Amino acid sequence: MAIHLNLSQATIREKRLKSIVGYQGTIKDLAEQSQSGCLKNATRGFSQATNCNSGCAQGYLSTITDAAIVNHGPIGCAGDVAGANAGFQWGQSIRDWNQRNVRIINTNMSEKAVVFGGDQILKEGILKAYERFKPKAIFVTTSCASGIIGDDIESTIKKAEAEIGIPVVPVFCEGFRSQIWASGFDAAFHALLTRIVKPAEKKRPELVNVINFAGSGRAVITEIFGRLGLVPQFGIPYSNIEEISRWSEAAATISICGTLGSYMGNGLEQNFGVPYVTALQPHGISGFDDWLTKLGETVGKEKEVEEYLAEQKVLAAPELEEIKFKLKGKKVVVGMGPSFAHNYIRFLEDLGMEVVWGFSWHYDAKHDHGGCPSCTVELTKTDKDIPVSVSDQQNHEVINLLSKVKPDIFIGRHPGMSVWATKMGIPAIMVSDEYSAFGYQGTIEFGHRIIDALTNNSLAVNLSKRINLPYTEWWLEQDPFSFQEQKNKKRESENKKNVAVR
Amino acid sequence: MSLCVEQIRHVCTLGAFESVLAIKRAVPIVHAGPGCVAKLWTTLGSQNGHQGSGYVGGHAIPCTNASEKEVVFGGTDKLRKVITNTFDVIDGDLFVVLTGCTSDIIGDDVGEITRKFQAQGKPIVYVETGGFKGSNLIGHELVLGAIIDQHLQPQEVEPGLVNIWSSVPYQNTFWSGDIEQLNILISSLGLKPNVVFGPDSSVDAINDIPKAQYNLVISPWVGLRTAEQLKNKFGTPFLHYPALPIGPTETSKFLRTVGEFAGIDPAVVENVIRKHEDRYFYYLERAADTLLETRLLPRRFITVADSLYALGIARFLTNDMGLIPEKQFITDDTPNDYQSGVAAEFEQFTSGIVAETVFSNDGGYVEEEIRKLKIRSRPLILGSSWERVVARDLNAYQLSVSAPIGNELVLSKSYVGYNGALQLVEDIYSVVLNDFM
Ligand code: SF4
């Protein structure tokens, strides 16, 4: 789908990528329905707190080293800033930088502003951010309140920009506008693509943009890319405005996460001529092979990649065998964002584990290059059809399902979810670092992490004995997905089969 | 002065859903956008002493996740559905519907929906907490107000039973430990605390609020509204004690004040105080060698905290530990009406010492002001984890005592009372010692 940089806002994922937050069935069915274009979202009669796109947008942009953010809304909408700052401390610390706090100002919208309009406080906020931080650019993130009362954000921003002479860029991310929090990444990237990235003056054939989060894998990637004659440029986090403005110079863009990178990668490809590598994620061996091979194909380094991978295979083989032997047949439930989920399902199956259920916190029926996500398609190529569901971290579905399928381990991503498996006595791993299971050595590391989690589960066991879950017995006896509308559900009998057989 | 805020230390009105979570088996039902809960719980929970989801917090909270559809067409249908199903799915004793910006701006009639459930005898109340109405401390009082108005029934008074309104759950990072310590102190006088929040709480205690003989507000201003409301509705008298009692000077004064208010025999009170103080001074005597090692000692302290912690800690460090208060930054968005009263409390220190107070919830402004201070020794900054940066830059000692605290795991710790003061001394001097060891 084309990325339109003449629009002031990114189109939300529901409209652009036919993304959904409600589905239950199997991976093959999901892929088939996506490809035939008939995938529909199921709504729920009961729902629990999820996340919104504003958090993703301002969290991601807040890591740009010389930019500032003005969050236009009541103070609660900046409630995530403490979390963004914690992440920022981590990112600076692993770089050995002098640590400072994130630069986010909230306009503290009061009842008065809600009634009479918030344009004035927004202007004040922008000027204050300029005065305090002397940033190279200011991003203005919107809120539910600013969206509903209809503040004229764009004209206020233009006026402020004329006064201070740096880019002041709107980032439309009202919480209610999209059910898919990843729309916030697109909103952030849209702001960068429209106002920060400049057409390349010269091309740098050795340079590869790597879209990631905190970027703990920098050293490893730099080494690998170095062998291929390539130089990685990591971002967007911990880059500055000048560096981002030159992302158009690169020979290719690649991402650690398909959900994250789709908008920026394709936006750079469509509008600045930088090819985007749409590969599997580099988690697990087959994913990493695909990721690096596709990159090699894009930048003409096929031979170098082939040599490197052949060497790694030999080196890693004995340890991988040992891990596979220990993990064989262990039942696992995965719960992550869509790209991570579908990539980890493949990776864990590759390790010989049995993925008995895959939750993804949303699902994009396609990515911005037009096709169904490659990690999803890849899972349809085997005989096995894995049961999956899509939910925006709907806790009642997850808990209910876990109580029925009783896996040996739950592997999750996103804060506030894996703990629930622990409370049920199930060993859990929370993948917070995007470079967990990266490449050959990362895969081995992660294999050992699973083995360790299975070796001593005393925390979970003891917790589960003494605490009560907040669910009624009635609920735990129901079908986990009974609050999803029928639209997307498999027939009752098939559904029972998937859930109850375990 | 601009009204915008940086480095936030409290959240919006809706953040008071955390107060509901502080009552065992009470369940918030949030009618708001999809991100509100996750955002608010970041500042109040996960980045505030790493207070996690507990029984029904975090992603377990029933929520309408209002989308464009609800904003355009109204969200009442969705809310009704979620409430109905919550009763089937969630195992709870009291349900509190809280609204966010979306609902309050578009004007969903949440009262009408809730009243229908109330009429069926369901234990449910509602409160409009759209984020633009103010801080979560205001929200905390609104939640209690809704429970008082819509749920509590008059009861026969039980002599000696006391409701305590003090630390605000989750906002005050050490709230559950604080409550435990306050309960110990109050119990030692022979009174019986009615435990509304924390590990010993229950919805039964909520229902028993009208039974109390007294309400005790132990806070500069939060809770006064609650106590006044209870006085109006049930005639319960209350005592307002503005300072959180930390250390022997304040805590002993506190016990005497409460004793007098409740008509307890002064001999009993003095006996209790003596025991507590004896224990306190046993330990303090042992610490004194190091405390007097002047090479290490911070002499002056800056506090950046809610009025509750700022006042309590300032009193202790000044009146008991011989430190000198520099500027005291009060970050809880203290309502204008209360500010002069709160400021006056900072003028009542030993030796005629007066501390200058600055009311601002804009952490960026606070940071600028701290950087302007000229301090002739390594200062001690008692603030939140936001202050770690400025403390490093100024070569100050830093201890996190106020929200958000991302750099400490906080469980049952409290700085309240005699024991809490010992804990605070341990923590401050551990910072000092860790700095060079
Ligand atoms: S300010 Fe409004 S939209 Fe923002 S978190 Fe609070 S209630 Fe939600």
Side-chain angles (χ1 to χ4, degrees):
Chain A
M1 165 122 190
I3 285 170
H4 297 292
L5 302 189
N6 53 337
L7 302 177
S8 63
Q9 348 193 347
T11 311
I12 57 170
R13 288 196 177 209
E14 288 94 323
K15 298 216 175 96
R16 215 175 74 241
L17 307 178
K18 304 279 169 267
S19 309
I20 58 164
V21 289
Y23 168 84
Q24 185 251 312
T26 68
I27 195 78
K28 288 187 181 175
D29 177 68
L30 184 66
E32 209 178 283
Q33 290 205 46
S34 319
Q35 282 158 339
S36 65
C38 55
L39 185 67
K40 294 229 165 52
N41 186 39
T43 52
R44 289 177 174 81
F46 176 71
S47 52
Q48 287 160 302
T50 154
N51 286 295
C52 75
N53 62 116
S54 145
C56 288
Q58 68 191 16
Y60 204 65
L61 291 171
S62 69
T63 54
I64 298 174
T65 55
D66 53 1
I69 292 179
V70 175
N71 171 222
H72 185 37
I75 193 167
C77 291
D80 56 325
V81 172
N85 195 48
F88 192 58
Q89 299 311 311
W90 168 262
Q92 295 175 97
S93 151
I94 62 173
R95 286 169 177 77
D96 281 327
W97 290 0
N98 276 339
Q99 287 164 244
R100 63 158 176 87
N101 290 321
V102 288
R103 292 172 176 156
I104 305 180
I105 278 187
N106 168 277
T107 58
N108 202 6
M109 189 183 277
S110 63
E111 192 134 26
K112 198 173 129 217
V114 167
V115 176
F116 297 107
D119 295 319
Q120 183 56 32
I121 56 168
L122 172 57
K123 175 104 182 283
E124 275 172 31
I126 295 170
L127 297 181
K128 182 59 86 183
Y130 182 69
E131 175 197 319
R132 260 187 204 166
F133 309 126
K134 297 285 173 309
K136 296 273 163 43
I138 292 175
F139 299 100
V140 174
T141 54
T142 57
S143 67
C144 288
S146 76
I148 302 176
I149 64 174
D151 276 351
D152 189 356
I153 309 264
E154 283 179 80
S155 89
T156 305
I157 281 179
K158 283 216 178 76
K159 280 183 216 145
E161 188 173 79
E163 253 175 68
I164 60 181
I166 57 164
V168 182
V169 192
V171 182
F172 292 95
C173 54
E174 299 85 7
F176 63 81
R177 74 195 270 274
S178 173
Q179 290 293 94
I180 290 151
W181 60 76
S183 288
F185 293 131
D186 307 342
F189 287 133
H190 189 79
L192 297 175
L193 286 166
T194 48
R195 294 297 311 279
I196 305 300
V197 179
K198 301 277 173 289
E201 281 172 17
K202 58 172 192 324
K203 281 286 182 182
R204 294 175 59 190
E206 78 291 353
L207 194 68
V208 177
N209 300 324
V210 181
I211 301 173
N212 62 13
F213 295 99
S216 67
R218 285 165 357 269
V220 179
I221 292 193
T222 305
E223 192 201 315
I224 299 170
F225 280 22
R227 285 196 45 175
L228 311 177
L230 299 172
V231 176
Q233 162 164 276
F234 298 94
I236 294 301
Y238 308 96
S239 308
N240 62 38
I241 291 292
E242 145 82 5
E243 285 161 353
I244 298 166
S245 75
R246 292 194 281 110
W247 267 43
S248 51
E249 293 174 357
T253 306
I254 196 163
S255 179
I256 190 73
C257 167
T259 304
L260 173 71
S262 177
Y263 200 88
M264 185 69 175
N266 287 290
L268 284 167
E269 179 170 304
Q270 292 171 21
N271 296 281
F272 296 93
V274 183
Y276 178 53
V277 182
T278 53
L280 298 177
Q281 283 182 200
H283 304 108
I285 304 303
S286 59
F288 180 69
D289 286 357
D290 189 64
W291 193 78
L292 208 60
T293 304
K294 295 255 167 67
L295 173 65
E297 287 166 4
T298 308
V299 295
K301 302 281 183 188
E302 294 91 336
K303 214 174 106 271
E304 290 87 339
V305 169
E306 208 177 302
E307 275 170 23
Y308 173 79
L309 292 177
E311 186 184 293
Q312 291 298 309
K313 250 182 210 15
V314 176
L315 280 174
E319 275 193 277
L320 274 174
E321 276 320 303
E322 191 193 322
I323 290 167
K324 283 185 187 167
F325 177 75
K326 290 194 173 139
L327 294 182
K328 192 167 171 41
K330 296 282 184 216
K331 291 184 169 49
V332 55
V333 170
V334 172
M336 305 182 178
S339 280
F340 262 85
H342 292 177
N343 277 287
Y344 264 70
I345 290 174
R346 181 198 63 250
F347 154 51
L348 297 168
E349 286 270 332
D350 281 353
L351 283 183
M353 298 179 80
E354 190 195 339
V355 177
V356 291
W357 200 275
F359 285 98
S360 69
W361 305 145
H362 81 266
Y363 173 72
D364 304 311
K366 56 184 184 178
H367 276 170
D368 287 293
H369 57 80
C372 181
S374 52
C375 53
T376 311
V377 175
E378 188 70 15
L379 289 175
T380 64
K381 292 179 182 162
T382 53
D383 290 343
K384 191 174 162 188
D385 194 10
I386 293 165
V388 295
S389 55
V390 179
S391 80
D392 39 4
Q393 287 187 311
Q394 290 304 312
N395 189 270
H396 64 287
E397 289 181 2
V398 179
I399 301 292
N400 184 319
L401 182 109
L402 286 176
S403 74
K404 293 193 167 82
V405 306
K406 299 195 176 61
D408 296 305
I409 189 163
F410 176 81
I411 300 185
R413 196 168 141 79
H414 294 79
M417 186 47 76
S418 310
V419 62
W420 291 93
T422 307
K423 291 182 188 183
M424 301 174 76
I426 300 166
I429 290 179
M430 143 86 168
V431 178
S432 54
D433 190 320
E434 78 270 21
Y435 284 98
S436 298
F438 174 83
Y440 283 72
Q441 287 315 309
T443 299
I444 291 170
E445 272 303 311
F446 197 80
H448 283 294
R449 200 168 152 198
I450 304 174
I451 293 168
D452 284 353
L454 293 170
T455 303
N456 184 353
N457 189 34
S458 62
L459 171 68
V461 168
N462 290 325
L463 253 182
S464 70
K465 277 191 205 148
R466 290 304 303 269
I467 62 157
N468 296 314
L469 293 172
Y471 296 101
T472 57
E473 272 172 39
W474 175 85
W475 170 244
L476 295 176
E477 282 161 9
Q478 304 305 302
D479 173 292
F481 306 98
S482 47
F483 283 117
Q484 282 191 25
E485 280 176 357
Q486 287 300 315
K487 265 190 223 162
N488 258 336
K489 277 181 64 177
K490 294 249 109 190
R491 266 170 289 117
E492 194 76 3
S493 55
E494 272 176 75
N495 184 19
K496 279 231 171 68
K497 197 175 72 201
N498 279 334
V499 177
V501 140
R502 325 264 154 209
Chain B
M1 196 172 81
S2 157
L3 290 174
C4 55
V5 290
E6 186 199 335
Q7 304 177 11
I8 68 167
R9 288 131 207 287
H10 61 79
V11 292
C12 69
T13 339
L14 176 58
F17 71 78
E18 294 282 356
S19 300
V20 179
L21 293 174
I23 305 163
K24 270 195 180 170
R25 293 180 55 79
V27 181
I29 300 176
V30 174
H31 181 39
C36 301
V37 165
K39 281 179 179 241
L40 303 175
W41 135 54
T42 303
T43 294
L44 296 179
S46 55
Q47 288 303 321
N48 196 21
H50 300 267
Q51 307 180 68
S53 49
Y55 178 63
V56 67
H59 289 304
I61 296 176
C63 178
T64 53
N65 298 324
S67 66
E68 191 119 32
K69 188 172 152 221
E70 284 71 42
V71 168
V72 176
F73 300 106
T76 47
D77 285 347
K78 192 158 189 186
L79 177 63
R80 191 178 301 110
K81 255 195 214 171
V82 169
I83 297 176
T84 306
N85 290 322
T86 296
F87 283 119
D88 286 337
V89 175
I90 302 287
D91 186 14
D93 296 335
L94 174 67
F95 298 82
V96 180
V97 181
L98 301 103
T99 57
C101 288
T102 51
S103 166
D104 284 10
I105 298 177
I106 64 173
D108 282 345
D109 193 345
V110 176
E112 190 200 290
I113 295 179
T114 312
R115 279 190 291 273
K116 289 208 174 116
F117 288 99
Q118 288 171 338
Q120 296 164 18
K122 302 278 193 203
I124 186 168
V125 302
Y126 77 98
V127 50
E128 288 176 358
T129 42
F132 52 84
K133 296 204 164 115
S135 72
N136 51 309
L137 293 111
I138 302 283
H140 171 74
E141 290 186 326
L142 290 176
V143 164
L144 290 170
I147 293 174
I148 295 167
D149 273 350
Q150 298 165 41
H151 184 71
L152 297 187
Q153 301 301 327
Q155 304 207 42
E156 203 175 310
V157 170
E158 180 182 324
L161 191 69
V162 188
N163 300 315
I164 301 172
W165 310 106
S166 185
S167 273
V168 177
Y170 293 91
Q171 166 71 36
N172 293 123
T173 325
F174 313 100
W175 66 276
S176 45
D178 292 347
I179 288 170
E180 291 192 284
Q181 291 304 319
L182 288 170
N183 288 342
I184 291 172
L185 289 173
I186 292 299
S187 305
S188 69
L189 293 178
L191 296 168
K192 184 179 160 202
N194 183 40
V195 190
V196 171
F197 301 116
D200 300 318
S201 67
S202 65
V203 170
D204 286 344
I206 290 281
N207 298 332
D208 284 350
I209 288 172
K211 267 194 196 169
Q213 189 179 8
Y214 314 109
N215 283 304
L216 269 186
V217 179
I218 311 166
S219 167
W221 64 274
V222 183
L224 275 175
R225 217 169 124 166
T226 308
E228 273 154 17
Q229 216 174 334
L230 287 168
K231 189 172 174 196
N232 291 339
K233 185 159 178 183
F234 303 111
T236 322
F238 71 90
L239 171 70
H240 179 207
Y241 194 87
L244 189 65
I246 301 176
T249 303
E250 196 67 41
T251 312
S252 299
K253 187 172 154 206
F254 167 73
L255 291 175
R256 287 187 185 107
T257 310
V258 175
E260 198 184 323
F261 174 75
I264 295 164
D265 179 358
V268 173
V269 178
E270 289 309 317
N271 195 25
V272 167
I273 289 173
R274 194 175 39 75
K275 274 195 198 138
H276 282 306
E277 287 192 353
D278 282 352
R279 177 174 178 274
Y280 172 88
F281 282 105
Y282 169 82
Y283 284 108
L284 206 77
E285 183 182 17
R286 277 174 28 183
D289 305 56
T290 289
L291 299 180
L292 296 169
E293 175 67 63
T294 49
R295 183 174 55 161
L296 305 177
L297 266 188
R299 301 203 305 267
R300 293 177 173 254
F301 67 95
I302 299 159
T303 313
V304 190
D306 304 71
S307 53
L308 179 78
Y309 281 172
L311 179 61
I313 289 172
R315 285 270 171 93
F316 169 62
L317 293 182
T318 310
N319 292 346
D320 293 303
M321 296 306 292
L323 303 195
I324 300 168
E326 285 286 341
K327 272 194 182 161
Q328 304 291 304
F329 297 93
I330 317 288
T331 57
D332 58 8
D333 200 14
T334 317
N336 284 338
D337 293 354
Y338 293 121
Q339 285 189 8
S340 59
V342 173
E345 293 293 331
F346 283 87
E347 290 168 6
Q348 299 182 33
F349 292 112
T350 182
S351 314
I353 292 171
V354 168
E356 189 185 340
T357 45
V358 178
F359 291 88
S360 175
N361 59 349
D362 175 11
Y365 171 74
V366 170
E367 181 177 332
E368 280 170 12
E369 290 297 299
I370 291 176
R371 286 181 193 275
K372 281 187 210 153
L373 295 176
K374 185 165 167 44
I375 300 171
R376 284 182 207 290
S377 65
R378 273 187 86 173
L380 167 67
I381 301 181
L382 299 141
S384 68
S385 33
W386 289 116
E387 274 66 53
R388 291 182 65 74
V389 168
V390 66
R392 267 192 299 266
D393 290 353
L394 301 180
N395 193 31
Y397 298 115
Q398 188 270 349
L399 178 68
S400 294
V401 298
S402 60
I405 301 182
N407 67 310
E408 276 187 42
L409 174 71
V410 176
L411 297 170
S412 61
K413 181 157 95 176
S414 167
Y415 295 138
V416 165
Y418 304 91
N419 198 57
L422 294 175
Q423 173 83 61
L424 184 55
V425 172
E426 284 174 357
D427 288 359
I428 290 174
Y429 290 93
S430 295
V431 167
V432 172
L433 295 167
N434 271 314
D435 186 68
F436 73 95
M437 281 294 285

